[in-house]
Amino acid sequence: MTSLPESQTSTLLDIVAIADNFPPFSSPYPTHHPITLEPYVPFHLTQEDYQNHLSPVGLVRSPVLDELLNLNCPDFLLIRSSSPGEDGRWKNDVDCVCFSSEVVQGGHEEMGRVMQSITERWRDEGKFMSRLEGWRNEKYMVYADPRSSAFKTIPIGTMSNGAFPLERAACALFGFMTNGVHMTAYEGEGSSMKIWVPRRSSTKPTWPSKLDNSVAGGIPAGMDPLTCMIKECAEEASLPEDLVRKRIRNVGSVSYFYITPDGFLQPEIEYTYDLSLPPRDSVEYVEPHPCDDEVESFALMSIPEVLDALHDKEFKPNCGLILVDFLIRHGFVTPENEPNLHLTGVRMHRRLGVAVPST
């Protein structure tokens, strides 16, 4: 494989750290914001899960916890280690948020209904609009620790330990792990390799006009990663299903922990794929081109051009991380030209501290 000059790879860790911007933590899960020290409260399905020290489903910020307290909703249990104040009202000293036993007994549908109901209410009331104004009417699956006591009474869900679906725009309110698929489509090998890079539409609600991975998307609740990848290939890049199924290759996954500019938590796992396109003189050859309004255009970029765009911060942050992973796997980044290679790999495959899919 062709290696890149050291000068071009010396800041790849910095590129990864744009997406993985939550510092490593030694506790089982993050307990507070690394700068503001705002505390996080773990969200579990049941009180028993909290008492058994299982991985939480998510992490609740103080503003969201305040709204849950204001709701005074019987669907939730707010576990406290202390007693009420003199006025009989609980103070904001919650140790854990979980569902009531009645909600858990209602299964996936009831837990999902409760969560969807309160987030729709907040949206309609104009709360947390930095998150909820991007409402998409598309649901992600929220996962729980496979050992959760809730799974003793309800059947396990998608990806073995799916707990309930929730509108994707609302997931960050509770620090729920989200996941998606990212694919790098390329032509050639070694020094002649080039990557198909799309530019996001200027009308996209997130990261408009930034460069992206060849094809990428969130995984809707109830859909497996490969099915989602094939769907996105058709919708975003006009790539025919038969060619994708024939040539696509799963190459693993990456994990990273992102803090949004408005302070919400987005621990994420992305399933990664490579697609080596047929030679240009082949009857199978096809070029990606936009099919919907999410992609403005595609460009075929050499590896040095991709590196320049990465250093210039032209890529959407997590897409930059995916491309760093691609460059390492294909031998362009080595211990000889990247002194931070090991730490870069660690930051792309990190422990998240919350429940993740279990297959």
Side-chain angles (χ1 to χ4, degrees):
M1 291 293 182
T2 301
S3 295
L4 295 170
E6 182 176 352
S7 62
Q8 288 185 289
T9 61
S10 58
T11 59
L12 290 182
L13 178 59
D14 296 332
I15 294 169
V16 168
I18 298 173
D20 182 50
N21 64 356
F22 198 108
F25 48 88
S26 58
S27 54
Y29 54 83
T31 58
H32 59 273
H33 191 285
I35 298 175
T36 68
L37 302 183
E38 175 190 357
Y40 305 134
V41 173
F43 189 119
H44 286 274
L45 297 187
T46 70
Q47 183 174 356
E48 182 179 349
D49 293 350
Y50 169 65
Q51 294 168 338
N52 289 336
H53 305 290
L54 301 188
S55 296
V57 176
L59 299 166
V60 183
R61 294 183 60 201
S62 296
V64 177
L65 182 60
D66 288 342
E67 290 298 330
L68 287 175
L69 288 164
N70 290 336
L71 285 174
N72 194 25
C73 179
D75 293 328
F76 294 98
L77 295 178
L78 304 179
I79 309 303
R80 298 172 170 87
S81 57
S82 56
S83 58
E86 294 180 1
D87 59 359
R89 295 176 57 86
W90 287 104
K91 305 303 180 183
N92 193 344
D93 55 1
V94 178
D95 295 325
C96 170
V97 175
C98 60
F99 291 116
S100 69
S101 58
E102 291 78 13
V103 171
V104 173
Q105 289 170 5
H108 307 293
E109 291 187 0
E110 181 62 9
M111 288 188 287
R113 183 199 65 77
V114 167
M115 295 302 297
Q116 192 76 7
S117 176
I118 64 169
T119 52
E120 286 180 353
R121 173 176 173 176
W122 290 343
R123 177 201 62 189
D124 295 342
E125 293 176 348
K127 295 174 180 176
F128 306 117
M129 294 312 291
S130 65
R131 298 288 98 200
L132 300 183
E133 68 179 354
W135 197 277
R136 302 193 189 188
N137 291 315
E138 179 183 346
K139 294 183 179 181
Y140 282 167
M141 181 60 69
V142 176
Y143 295 90
D145 192 303
R147 299 166 294 174
S148 170
S149 62
F151 293 143
K152 297 176 182 178
T153 57
I154 62 175
I156 57 177
T158 305
M159 298 289 283
S160 297
N161 58 323
F164 57 86
L166 180 64
E167 159 64 34
R168 63 182 291 176
C171 288
L173 293 183
F174 302 92
F176 294 149
M177 188 282 308
T178 58
N179 57 11
V181 291
H182 286 246
M183 185 190 76
T184 304
Y186 64 95
E187 300 181 12
E189 296 289 343
S191 60
S192 64
M193 180 184 288
K194 293 185 176 182
I195 296 174
W196 281 102
V197 177
R199 186 171 295 278
R200 295 164 68 86
S201 169
S202 60
T203 61
K204 287 278 289 184
T206 56
W207 308 103
S209 299
K210 285 287 189 179
L211 298 181
D212 210 324
N213 293 135
S214 305
V215 177
I219 303 176
M223 186 176 292
D224 64 81
L226 180 59
T227 301
C228 179
M229 187 78 264
I230 292 170
K231 175 182 75 72
E232 295 290 346
C233 282
E235 293 177 354
E236 292 189 357
S238 307
L239 293 172
E241 180 178 343
D242 56 347
L243 179 137
V244 174
R245 287 190 178 276
K246 179 180 179 180
R247 303 185 70 91
I248 197 169
R249 184 166 65 97
N250 174 261
V251 291
S253 64
V254 298
S255 57
Y256 52 92
F257 205 128
Y258 183 64
I259 312 176
T260 68
D262 52 345
F264 288 98
L265 304 180
Q266 289 187 316
E268 298 192 339
I269 291 176
E270 308 290 352
Y271 298 96
T272 50
Y273 297 83
D274 284 357
L275 182 68
S276 173
L277 291 173
R280 287 184 169 254
D281 58 359
S282 168
V283 295
E284 291 184 300
Y285 180 73
V286 61
E287 292 186 0
H289 60 270
C291 185
D292 57 22
D293 59 359
E294 295 192 11
V295 175
E296 181 179 294
S297 60
F298 279 88
L300 191 60
M301 299 174 64
S302 67
I303 299 301
E305 289 172 333
V306 169
L307 261 294
D308 286 343
L310 283 170
H311 294 308
D312 290 340
K313 311 294 190 297
E314 292 186 45
F315 280 91
K316 179 173 176 275
N318 65 337
C319 296
L321 182 150
I322 298 292
L323 281 169
V324 171
D325 177 65
F326 178 91
L327 294 170
I328 292 173
R329 289 188 291 98
H330 285 265
F332 293 105
V333 180
T334 68
E336 289 70 36
N337 62 29
E338 174 50 71
N340 293 315
L341 181 62
H342 175 70
L343 185 55
T344 301
V346 170
R347 292 290 291 268
M348 295 189 293
H349 301 88
R350 65 173 294 173
R351 180 173 60 92
L352 298 177
V354 296
V356 300
S358 174
T359 55

